[in-house]
């Protein structure tokens, strides 16, 4: 079977690493990929948003199955375009991906189907939003409706901050058309967890829970990033709570989408806050998490291809997933300056030494090849991921690999996984 992965970050390297172990795959392409994915397949120089070019490539190469990594092509409708051309593809339709593409839609869906989430109001007018802020007690959370690469969410401790957030998003249009609508939300307190499931629209198959580390610095200090590390399993999501989340969040969301004429296939990712009143949804994403995918897939013992194919074909009820008992930890190494403007083009040293360590995979995210060397080319550069008998061991193994790798200005958190040890 010929398979195409769309995307070129750490998540897509993890997908390529895992899918390349499937015996059914005869040829693997990644568009655009990165130097990490090139170890498992052939990179094709087409960007993830160039949907017509990707379709033309898939038709010309007779690709049997396409796996879409990032949210942008999904919200642009890549699944609809591929399906209309007779191509089998993993991921939700454009109407399904709106669950991530519009926070207002996602909140309304949660309300309609009684899915636990923070109280919110939607606004399309800045002065109405400001009037609301004047009569409500902070803290509150102001969110741009559309995709903003994780930056469209502002946690406001004071009314003044909330008013400024409205100006930033609606008046100054800091996130472009993503800020035409905003939502203002109740501030929730608790520990966060990422709960991902594969679905074919009927069956919902949970993946091992994971926890992300959103802030740039140790002890969750500093601005939010796309994720500075992740671990799995996440002890905060006990077996009981996983069952509760399946019943109160995952099944109602999938059934709700179906009832509303938007049958949902692919990954359903719930970002959860574990509050005193139970798990509540912070957001839905319509694709694998990055960097959660790296530790999750290292723990998956089953063939990933079978599960993704079953989601696309609608026979997921025939699939079971087996998980390794070991824990996995991913430490993201980022470029100097990230999540602000960052340095590019630094030579990365020590990749080969790190790759020799047992139970360790160095997933590439923002890297490229130059004159036979690997250099940095993105904010999040590598996801150094290791298995261990338990979280403590996995942390040790991941940081042992991190210690072998260096470039000028490399930064990483030193406390990934610590929360799981409490
Ligand atoms: P989102 O993109 O909606 O998941 O928001 C990004 C991050 O902002 C989340 O991972 C949380 O850390 C934080 N956040 C979002 N909404 C809330 C909320 N209602 N209460 C507290 N923190 C929140
Ligand atoms: N790690 C957070 C995300 O993938 O959205």
């Amino acid at each position: 079977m010929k398979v195409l992965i769309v995307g070129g970050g750490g998540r897509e390297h993890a997908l390529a690493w895992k899918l390349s172990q499937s015996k059914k795959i005869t040829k693997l392409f990644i568009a655009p990929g990165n130097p990490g994915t090139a170890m498992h397949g052939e990179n094709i120089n087409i960007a993830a948003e160039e949907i017509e070019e990707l379709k033309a490539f898939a038709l010309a190469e007779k690709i049997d199955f396409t796996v879409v990594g990032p949210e942008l092509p999904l919200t642009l409708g890549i699944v609809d375009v591929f399906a209309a051309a007779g191509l089998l593809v993993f991921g939700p339709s454009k109407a399904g991906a709106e669950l991530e593409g519009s926070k207002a839609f996602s909140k309304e869906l949660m309300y309609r189907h009684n899915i636990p989430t923070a109280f919110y109001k939607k606004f399309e007018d800045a002065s109405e939003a400001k009037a609301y802020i004047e009569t409500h007690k902070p803290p509150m959370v102001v969110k741009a409706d559309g995709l903003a690469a994780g930056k469209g969410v502002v946690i406001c401790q004071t009314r003044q901050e909330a008013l400024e957030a409205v100006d930033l998003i609606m008046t100054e249009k800091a996130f472009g058309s993503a800020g035409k609508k905003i939502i203002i939300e109740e501030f929730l307190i608790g520990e966060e967890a990422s709960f991902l499931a594969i679905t074919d629209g009927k069956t919902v198959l949970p993946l091992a829970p994971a926890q992300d580390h959103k802030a740039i610095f140790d002890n969750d200090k500093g601005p939010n990033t796309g994720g500075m590390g992740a671990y799995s399993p996440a002890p905060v999501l006990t077996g009981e709570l996983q069952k509760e989340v399946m019943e109160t969040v995952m099944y109602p969301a999938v059934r709700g989408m179906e009832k509303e004429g938007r049958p949902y296939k692919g990954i359903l990712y719930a970002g959860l806050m574990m509050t005193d009143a139970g798990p509540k949804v912070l957001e839905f994403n319509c694709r694998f998490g990055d960097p959660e995918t790296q530790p999750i897939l290292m723990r998956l013992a089953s063939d990933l291809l079978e599960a993704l194919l079953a989601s696309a074909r609608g026979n997921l009820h025939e699939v079971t997933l087996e998980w390794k008992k070991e824990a996995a930890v991913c430490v993201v190494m980022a470029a100097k300056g990230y999540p602000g403007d960052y340095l590019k083009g630094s030579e990365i040293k020590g990749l080969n030494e790190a790759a020799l360590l047992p139970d360790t995979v160095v997933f590439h995210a923002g890297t490229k090849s130059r004159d036979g060397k690997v250099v940095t080319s993105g904010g999040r550069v590598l996801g150094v991921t290791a298995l261990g008998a338990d979280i403590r061991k996995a942390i040790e193994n991941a940081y042992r690999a991190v210690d072998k790798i260096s470039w000028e200005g490399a930064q990483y958190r030193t406390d990934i996984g610590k929360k799981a040890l409490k």
Side-chain angles (χ1 to χ4, degrees), residues 11 71 100 150 194 212-214 225-230 269 283 285 287-293 380:
R11 161 185 49 216
E71 60 275 19
E100 174 165 3
S194 306
D212 191 5
H213 298 63
K214 292 233 160 73
T225 68
M228 290 299 290
Y269 165 145
E283 63 166 348
N285 292 324
R287 36 83 195 167
F288 280 103
D290 192 346
E292 294 94 323
T293 305
R380 290 190 292 169

Side-chain angles (χ1 to χ4, degrees), residues 342-387:
Y342 51 80
L343 227 59
K344 287 186 192 176
S346 315
E347 183 186 341
I348 304 172
K349 301 213 174 101
L351 287 170
N352 294 335
E353 289 83 340
L356 291 175
L357 294 170
D359 293 329
T360 305
V361 184
V362 179
F363 293 111
H364 290 229
T367 67
K368 70 176 190 195
S369 301
R370 199 178 64 196
D371 309 327
K373 293 174 175 145
V374 179
V375 301
T376 68
S377 75
R380 290 190 292 169
V381 176
L382 300 171
V384 181
T385 312
L387 288 169

Side-chain angles (χ1 to χ4, degrees), residues 293-314:
T293 305
Q294 291 81 322
I296 289 175
L297 292 187
M298 280 205 47
R299 295 189 59 225
L300 180 62
S302 310
D303 184 349
L304 179 65
L305 181 73
E306 300 278 358
L308 302 187
L309 275 173
S311 157
R313 288 176 173 155

Side-chain angles (χ1 to χ4, degrees), residues 194-208:
S194 306
F195 195 82
L196 284 76
I198 303 184
T199 177
D200 60 359
K202 301 255 187 271
T203 302
V204 184
L205 205 56
L207 302 185

Side-chain angles (χ1 to χ4, degrees), residues 103 107 118 141 143 150 153 155 185-189 192 214 224 271 273 282-283 285:
K103 289 195 189 286
K107 292 296 279 194
V141 186
K143 300 186 177 185
V153 174
I155 312 263
E185 200 172 273
E186 163 201 7
F187 178 74
L188 297 176
I189 296 170
E192 281 181 58
K214 292 233 160 73
N224 267 356
M273 189 72 96
L282 290 173
E283 63 166 348
N285 292 324

